[in-house]
Structures are given as structure tokens and as C-alpha cells.
Amino acid sequence: MTSDLSDSLWHDTSGETVDAPELIGDVQADLVVIGGGYTGLSAALHAAMDGASVCLVEAEEFGAGGSGRNVGLANAGLWLPPEDIDARMGKAAGARLSDVLSGAPDMVYGLIDTFDIACEPVRNGTMHCAHAPRGMKDLENRHRQLADRGAPVQLLSRDEAVARVGSEQVHGALFDPRAGTIHPLAYAKGLARAAIKAGARLHEATPALTVDKSGKDWHVTTPRGRVIARHMILATNGYTKPVKGLKAPRIVPVHYFQAATDPLSDADLERILPGKEGCWDTALVMSSWRLDQAGRLIIGGMGELGHIADSAHRNWLDRKLARMFPAIAGTPLRQLWFGRIAMTAEYLPKILALDPTGLVSFGYSGRGICPGTIFGERMARALLSGDFAGLPTDPVTDHSLPFAGLRQAYYETGATMTHLVKDRI
């Protein structure tokens, strides 16, 4: 399960709105997109800017899935370091993916600037923080690999990290100046607004009910309409709903929850993340923290709410806040929400080719903002041009993920057990 989008801070504070009524009647287009998150909206925007006719359908509202629930860290690259990517994909393919994603923050912040998207963009970098002294070994390894490939990353000492985070609980950090933070839901809605202005037809509250290929065209049927298009992109990632005639690729759903304080005082903001970098840590059960534009501290960790482990996760949040930032211990956490991350067995994003005219993307494994944006753009242009050489990763024609349910249970059990005992003072 996931929380309702309206539970989140992002829903209440989005500076972007968009009007996209339900699809009624038949539409013909060059490209039909199913899913109104970063990938689908970027595909629609770039296809429309290239002069194609586009129709996008979203079952709920834009950003209703992971795009409206995540931490809002716009990072370069993936969770895996480059050498691990190469080992899984092969050196040439891995280097290509890493190279494409290294420039993805430039695309995200460029779109924000070009279309004046009101999503609280702060490009002051992100910090991957060592949760314990042993975490520095991982960060040193990542720093070496990234620096060897020309990334402008910096390894921060414990004292430097403590000063920049404002917490004695970090033991060093890997700083990436290419990255930053955004308001994730506002970014999605801003992409939708830009796509509509570019000429794309976008429709909320319009679930795809059936998909079939008739001759050369895709037919996507919705409750009150239909889209007929030569090309199709399915971009629903971890929030795919059942669609007759279309088998969704399997993923491992991993949940992540967050909570936000009221805006902190000026004195607290002088000590806590004074540079407004976004942070996450090296712990196996990861946690994150960042500020929003109003000065709220947003803190989160792995786990699903709304079931038997709910209290373990909620109680851990209060303990984590007190341990990380003792000066604001006991500060009420006003909002609490969670969402779903789509993982693959390899922790790598994938593109599945249904045929030469239909592509599916999925499996960003917790790095949806920048990869989703660039995957959407590259897939749309590949389909419309017929040239797939520019795709970040080669499409596959088959995908399986054995024991997905057991993998999901493993992650949730690990998060629950950790949060039952961790950060007790």
C-alpha cells in the first residue's frame, strides 16, 4: 500500500498547478504515453517540442506515484558506483549509462530554468554521509571511482561533514556539487504545464484500461475515450495498475517514509544544513534529511507505514531526529507520508521493448528524478526517429524477477527490525 498523496508535505506546498481534464472521445497521435510522472511527462514534453503530436494519460494526478512522494534529491548517477554498474552491464554499456546520467542534473535544472518551474530548486550539492566510521571506506571507494571518471566530487572529513550537516552523528561525507534538491511534486507538475504549453495533450483521472496493437497502431482505451498512436511509452514504474493486454514488468517494491517539522528558527537554521545540501547515509537501512524552502526539516527512512510495523517506524523517526539534531529534539513532526521505490534485481533501470514502436521504462531503484527525466526524453526521441542509439541503456525484450515477493519481505523486515532498536539514546 501507499499513503494518499494528499498526506505529503509536497501536496500541500506545491507552487505549480495544472489543468488537465479527463480524456473524452477518440484522439489520434504520433505518441501515446501512459503515466504522468517524471519519465512520462519528460517524454511528452520533448516529443511535443520536436513537433510530434502527443497524448498522455494519467490514472490519478500528475506526480501521484513516486514523483510526488520522494525526498527530492536530484542526483547524478545511480545508487551503484560506476564499477559495479560496469560489472553488471559490461564496461562499454555501463560507461555509457554512467556518462548519460552524470549530466542528468544539468537537464533537470535546465528545464526548471527554461520553463520557470516553481519547484524550490537549490543546486548546492548533495552529501552522502558516513553513518559510522566504517562507512568512510565505502565513500572512499566511491570517490575514487567517480573521480577517475572526471566527476567533481569531494571527500569531506568528519569535521567538515559535521559542520555542514550540523550533527555529530556523521563521520565524513562524499559531496557532489552537480546535484541538489527540488520540490519533487512541483517539478512534475511544472513538466506537465510545460508539455501542455508545447502542444501535448495531457489528461489526469484517465486510467488506461486496455492496450492492444492493431496493425501499425497502438490502441489505448480509457473509461471515456481512446488514443490511437503509432508509438507508445509505458512510464508507470512502481505504480503500474492492471491494464488488459499489457503485462507490467516485475519489480521489487521497497517503501520509504518521510516526515516534516514546522519551519525551524533562524538560530536552528544557522546550525542545521546551513548550505541546504540534501543528505542521505551509508547505512544498510538508509535514512535521509534535507530542508525545504520554508526551513522545514524533512527526515525519512526505509519502511512501509499502515501495517503492523507502523509504530516501529514512527517511533524511530522521533529518536532519529533527537539523535541527529539534539537541539530540536521533541520538535513535532507534522506530516508523515510514504511511497514506493521500484527496484530491479541488479539495482539498474531498464527499458523493455514491446516491439520497435513500444517501450517501457522501470526500476530507477530510488533515483527517479534525474534518470526519469532523461530516460523519458531519450525514449521519446528514439521512438519518433527510429534511432535507438541514443538510449541510456540497450532495450531488453524479456524481463523476469524471481522471488520478488520474498525480496520485498526481506527489505521490509530489515527496515522494521532496524527501526525497533536503532538510535536509542
Side-chain angles (χ1 to χ4, degrees), residues 132-161:
R134 64 182 180 276
M136 281 302 291
K137 293 186 181 293
D138 177 34
L139 297 183
E140 290 166 357
N141 181 44
R142 290 172 182 269
H143 176 265
R144 174 189 60 78
Q145 293 185 37
L146 290 166
D148 284 349
R149 300 186 185 216
V153 292
Q154 303 168 33
L155 199 61
L156 305 181
S157 69
R158 183 180 189 279
D159 288 346
E160 291 171 319

Side-chain angles (χ1 to χ4, degrees), residues 5 10 35-41 61-72 182-189 191 235-237 239 339-340 364 368-369 372-373:
L5 182 63
W10 309 131
Y38 304 133
T39 304
L41 293 168
E61 63 179 282
F62 302 131
S67 297
R69 304 168 190 264
N70 66 80
V71 180
I182 62 172
H183 186 300
L185 180 59
Y187 175 59
K189 291 184 179 294
L191 289 177
T236 48
N237 200 27
Y239 285 77
R340 186 184 305 131
Y364 298 121
I369 294 174
T373 301

Side-chain angles (χ1 to χ4, degrees), residues 384-408:
L384 294 169
S385 69
D387 182 1
F388 285 22
L391 288 173
T393 183
D394 291 334
V396 299
T397 57
D398 185 40
H399 168 73
S400 63
L401 206 166
F403 310 114
L406 290 176
R407 293 170 189 257
Q408 178 186 1

Side-chain angles (χ1 to χ4, degrees), residues 134-412:
R134 64 182 180 276
M136 281 302 291
K137 293 186 181 293
D138 177 34
L139 297 183
E140 290 166 357
N141 181 44
R142 290 172 182 269
H143 176 265
R144 174 189 60 78
Q145 293 185 37
L146 290 166
D148 284 349
R149 300 186 185 216
V153 292
Q154 303 168 33
L155 199 61
L156 305 181
S157 69
R158 183 180 189 279
D159 288 346
E160 291 171 319
V162 166
R164 292 172 75 160
V165 174
S167 174
E168 295 286 339
Q169 297 304 308
V170 295
H171 299 266
L174 182 62
F175 174 70
D176 191 339
R178 299 171 296 177
T181 63
I182 62 172
H183 186 300
L185 180 59
Y187 175 59
K189 291 184 179 294
L191 289 177
R193 173 176 57 80
I196 292 170
K197 186 174 181 180
R201 295 189 56 156
L202 271 59
H203 300 278
E204 294 181 314
T206 305
L209 301 180
T210 67
V211 171
D212 66 88
K213 188 77 179 288
S214 178
K216 294 183 177 180
D217 292 328
W218 292 95
H219 290 230
V220 178
T221 303
T222 69
R224 303 174 68 188
R226 181 176 59 160
V227 186
I228 302 169
R230 184 59 55 88
H231 306 94
M232 182 186 74
I233 290 174
L234 175 66
T236 48
N237 200 27
Y239 285 77
T240 304
K241 297 179 181 293
V243 179
K244 185 178 179 181
L246 190 62
K247 184 179 180 181
R250 298 202 71 186
I251 53 103
V252 179
V254 176
H255 294 88
Y256 200 89
F257 62 89
Q258 298 174 79
T261 68
D262 287 334
L264 302 181
S265 69
D266 289 343
D268 288 330
L269 291 172
E270 288 180 2
R271 297 188 298 268
I272 297 173
L273 295 172
K276 294 184 170 58
E277 302 94 339
C279 302
W280 74 104
D281 66 21
T282 56
L284 182 62
V285 178
M286 187 188 81
S287 59
S288 63
W289 52 96
R290 58 159 294 189
L291 296 170
D292 76 348
Q293 191 173 63
R296 299 178 185 89
L297 180 69
I298 302 156
I299 190 165
M302 292 174 61
E304 181 180 0
L305 305 180
H307 66 101
I308 193 170
D310 186 284
S311 61
H313 298 318
R314 290 173 184 263
N315 291 335
W316 169 82
L317 270 174
D318 291 328
R319 299 198 308 272
K320 182 69 174 179
L321 179 65
R323 181 172 282 276
M324 285 291 300
F325 306 108
I328 60 170
T331 298
L333 294 167
R334 299 295 186 188
Q335 289 174 289
L336 185 63
W337 70 97
F338 70 106
R340 186 184 305 131
I341 296 168
M343 304 279 281
T344 63
E346 306 89 349
Y347 307 109
L348 292 169
K350 290 178 177 284
I351 297 174
L352 176 66
L354 302 175
D355 72 6
T357 64
L359 296 177
V360 182
S361 68
F362 58 98
Y364 298 121
S365 299
R367 288 291 180 93
I369 294 174
C370 294
T373 301
I374 207 161
F375 267 60
E377 175 255 345
R378 295 293 180 95
M379 287 194 299
R381 287 177 165 158
L383 286 173
L384 294 169
S385 69
D387 182 1
F388 285 22
L391 288 173
T393 183
D394 291 334
V396 299
T397 57
D398 185 40
H399 168 73
S400 63
L401 206 166
F403 310 114
L406 290 176
R407 293 170 189 257
Q408 178 186 1
Y410 168 79
Y411 287 117
E412 181 56 36

Side-chain angles (χ1 to χ4, degrees), residues 27-31 44-56 115 191-203:
V27 173
Q28 288 198 313
D30 297 317
L31 173 67
L45 169 61
H46 288 95
M49 288 197 307
D50 288 349
S53 58
V54 185
C55 184
L56 180 150
F115 297 104
L191 289 177
R193 173 176 57 80
I196 292 170
K197 186 174 181 180
R201 295 189 56 156
L202 271 59
H203 300 278

